[in-house]
């Protein structure tokens, strides 16, 4: 029997408002521990929350970008659970009346747009941060003691919940990359995953391929890297298939995924909504945005990443368009092409060489970049790499690099190619047996022999003609 993964994501995004969601403490990462607190975000008795207007507007803006209906009457609720990093004993969130519902995100694929339903997007406060000291890799198990930093407590957080419409770990990754870029372009969050500003819970189940049932799901908590998320989902899908295949049943359960060891550890059995004793927050008024505010926010929406991928696809191809747009690179690409560069070559240079070199993209001159793209096959690789690395320097000029010539003379290169092939008989045989990918290996070896001065296109032709002779 073949199995199909069923995945729904809960995505938490920090909003980059200046102050917290229910008090006026500054929001920030990296300040001294417990320096950004007040009676409200420390949960002192009698302290009263006040809603941050901008956080509400940004939640609505995101909802609009995700095609959601915007509630004319949203209500904050208390979600109760006892935890040291939650000083009030409850989290203020939205429950049955969230600000945004029933949206969708289109995920461009070669087979058309995949529609991922957005069940809801709501505004809530983040908990404080617990730091476990001693023990292994900062986890609570085996720790000597724990410290709490309340700076994060009360940071505005939007939670976006998808329908169980995602069908693979790779699709989850692509959805998240697109969502992240959308949030960044809306200007509401930096969504920096390594700082915990975008965190994901993945709900995972499997079912017989072709069926439309929803089987018992498990949840992998709190992941903050696209690769970990994809690997965590893959590991859990595999585990569940094993459980069903062995005649057993998957039990509802929450897991932590340890990316270093690739293992899933069961956490606690899942609470039901009843356990949280939700009730409307009596200290806050409902959120009732006037229609003209919602219209104004809608009018501010930029052209969104998914639309731009489709537009670029026409000029390029889907994969390159996706990489450029989700990397926030498409504007530079457009300007570089306008400055005369070849479309595909410009996309390759920007997405690979430029990003790999860690260049400050905002400082790059498209005209100079276009010159380098045009000269890539002609000038020595070392000169090209050096020029790319310096592209972001103030006043950078490509000219000194453009006058250098890579060795393209076949007569000069032939003996080196011959030497490299002789030195690697195993690889030569593998190539002749169909392992075409080894071409890059041979070219790389010749480049090494020539200190990066050979013209890789000519080398590649020489290698090919010799091996295919
Ligand atoms: P809660 O976490 O509050 O129990 P929901 O029932 O609303 O929430 O579901 C949370 C997430 O789980 C959603 O993203 C949803 O798409 C996903 N989900 C629900 N059922 C399944 C299932 N059978 N398999 C995979 N994901 C599921
Ligand atoms: Mg959940
Ligand atoms: Zn505060």
């Amino acid at each position: 029997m073949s199995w199909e993964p069923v995945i729904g994501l809960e995505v938490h995004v920090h909003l980059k408002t200046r102050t917290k969601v229910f008090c006026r403490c500054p929001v920030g990462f990296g300040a001294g521990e417990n320096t950004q607190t007040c009676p409200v975000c420390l949960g002192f008795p009698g302290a009263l929350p006040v809603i941050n207007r901008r956080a509400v507007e940004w939640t609505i803006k995101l909802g609009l970008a995700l095609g959601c209906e915007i509630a004319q009457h949203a209500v904050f609720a208390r979600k109760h659970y006892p935890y040291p990093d939650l000083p009030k004993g409850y989290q203020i969130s939205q429950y049955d009346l969230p600000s945004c519902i029933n949206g969708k995100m289109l995920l461009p694929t070669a087979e058309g747009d995949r529609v991922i339903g957005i069940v809801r997007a709501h505004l809530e406060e983040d908990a404080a941060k617990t730091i476990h000291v001693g023990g292994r890799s900062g986890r609570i198990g085996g720790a000597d003691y724990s410290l709490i930093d309340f700076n994060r407590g009360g940071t505005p957080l939007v939670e976006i919940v998808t329908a169980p419409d995602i069908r693979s770990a790779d699709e989850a990754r692509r959805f998240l990359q697109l969502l992240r870029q959308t949030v960044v372009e809306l200007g509401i969050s930096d969504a920096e995953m390594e700082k915990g500003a975008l965190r994901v819970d993945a709900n995972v189940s499997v079912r017989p391929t072709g069926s439309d049932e929803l089987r018992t799901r498990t949840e992998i908590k709190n992941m903050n890297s696209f690769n970990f998320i994809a690997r965590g989902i893959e590991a859990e899908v595999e585990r569940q298939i094993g459980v069903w295949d062995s005649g057993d049943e998957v039990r509802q359960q929450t897991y932590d995924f340890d990316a270093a060891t690739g293992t899933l550890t069961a956490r606690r059995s899942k609470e039901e909504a009843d356990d949280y004793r939700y009730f409307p927050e009596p200290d806050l008024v409902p959120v009732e945005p006037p229609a003209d505010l919602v219209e104004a926010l809608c009018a501010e929406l930029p052209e969104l990443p998914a639309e731009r991928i489709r537009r670029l696809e026409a000029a390029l191809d889907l994969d390159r368009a996706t990489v450029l747009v989700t990397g926030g690179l498409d504007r530079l690409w457009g300007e570089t092409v306008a400055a005369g560069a070849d479309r595909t070559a410009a996309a390759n240079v920007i997405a690979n060489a430029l990003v790999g070199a860690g260049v400050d993209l905002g400082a790059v001159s498209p005209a100079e970049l276009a010159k380098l793209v045009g000269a890539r096959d002609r000038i020595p690789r070392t000169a090209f790499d050096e020029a790319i690395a310096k592209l972001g320097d103030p006043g950078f000029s490509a000219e000194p690099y453009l006058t250098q010539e890579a060795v393209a003379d076949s007569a000069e290169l032939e003996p080196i190619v011959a030497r490299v092939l002789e030195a690697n008989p195993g690889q030569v045989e593998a190539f002749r047996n169909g392992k075409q990918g080894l071409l890059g290996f041979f070219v790389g070896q010749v480049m090494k022999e020539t200190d990066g001065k050979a013209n890789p296109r000519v080398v590649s032709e020489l290698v090919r003609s010799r091996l295919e002779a």
Side-chain angles (χ1 to χ4, degrees), residues 20 22-26 36-42 150-151 153-154:
K20 294 186 180 179
F22 300 123
C23 64
R24 303 179 78 168
C25 293
Q36 300 182 332
T37 60
C38 74
V40 174
C41 56
L42 289 174
F150 285 96
N151 287 357

Side-chain angles (χ1 to χ4, degrees), residues 6-10 161-164 203-205 214-217 219 270:
V6 177
I7 301 152
L9 301 174
E10 295 166 85
V161 181
T162 79
N203 296 271
V204 178
S205 65
L214 284 177
R215 295 203 173 187
T216 305
R217 72 170 190 273
E219 187 169 358
K270 179 92 180 74

Side-chain angles (χ1 to χ4, degrees), residues 98-174:
S99 281
C100 318
I101 56 166
N102 287 340
K104 61 176 190 288
M105 196 159 91
L106 301 182
L107 197 59
T109 75
E111 292 83 40
D113 285 336
R114 287 272 298 126
V115 181
I116 310 297
I118 304 293
V119 178
R120 55 190 281 148
H122 70 249
L123 179 59
E124 62 187 29
E125 59 179 335
D126 202 357
K129 188 171 180 177
T130 314
I131 298 147
H132 305 295
V133 182
R136 194 177 50 85
S137 66
R139 298 209 174 264
I140 191 167
D144 298 326
Y145 57 93
S146 299
L147 298 167
I148 305 175
D149 179 2
F150 285 96
N151 287 357
R152 195 180 73 183
T155 300
L157 205 58
V158 174
E159 177 172 343
I160 302 138
V161 181
T162 79
D165 289 343
I166 296 166
R167 291 289 167 270
S168 71
D170 184 56
E171 193 164 274
R173 183 212 314 264
R174 283 186 288 117

Side-chain angles (χ1 to χ4, degrees), residues 216-232:
T216 305
R217 72 170 190 273
T218 61
E219 187 169 358
I220 317 171
K221 285 301 240 189
N222 245 329
M223 294 179 286
N224 65 344
S225 124
F226 293 131
N227 281 333
F228 294 174
I229 293 162
R231 283 173 48 212

Side-chain angles (χ1 to χ4, degrees), residues 333-342 365-371:
W333 174 81
E335 292 169 353
T336 307
V337 169
D342 174 73
S365 150
E368 299 307 303
L369 174 55
K371 290 179 199 164

Side-chain angles (χ1 to χ4, degrees), residues 13 41 66 94 105 112 127 143 159 163 179 182 185 193 247 305-306 320 323 335-336 345 395 408 411 424 438 469:
V13 181
C41 56
L66 297 175
Q94 294 177 331
M105 196 159 91
E159 177 172 343
L179 178 64
T182 302
E185 289 180 16
M193 299 183 82
R320 287 194 179 84
V323 168
E335 292 169 353
T336 307
N424 297 283
L438 282 169

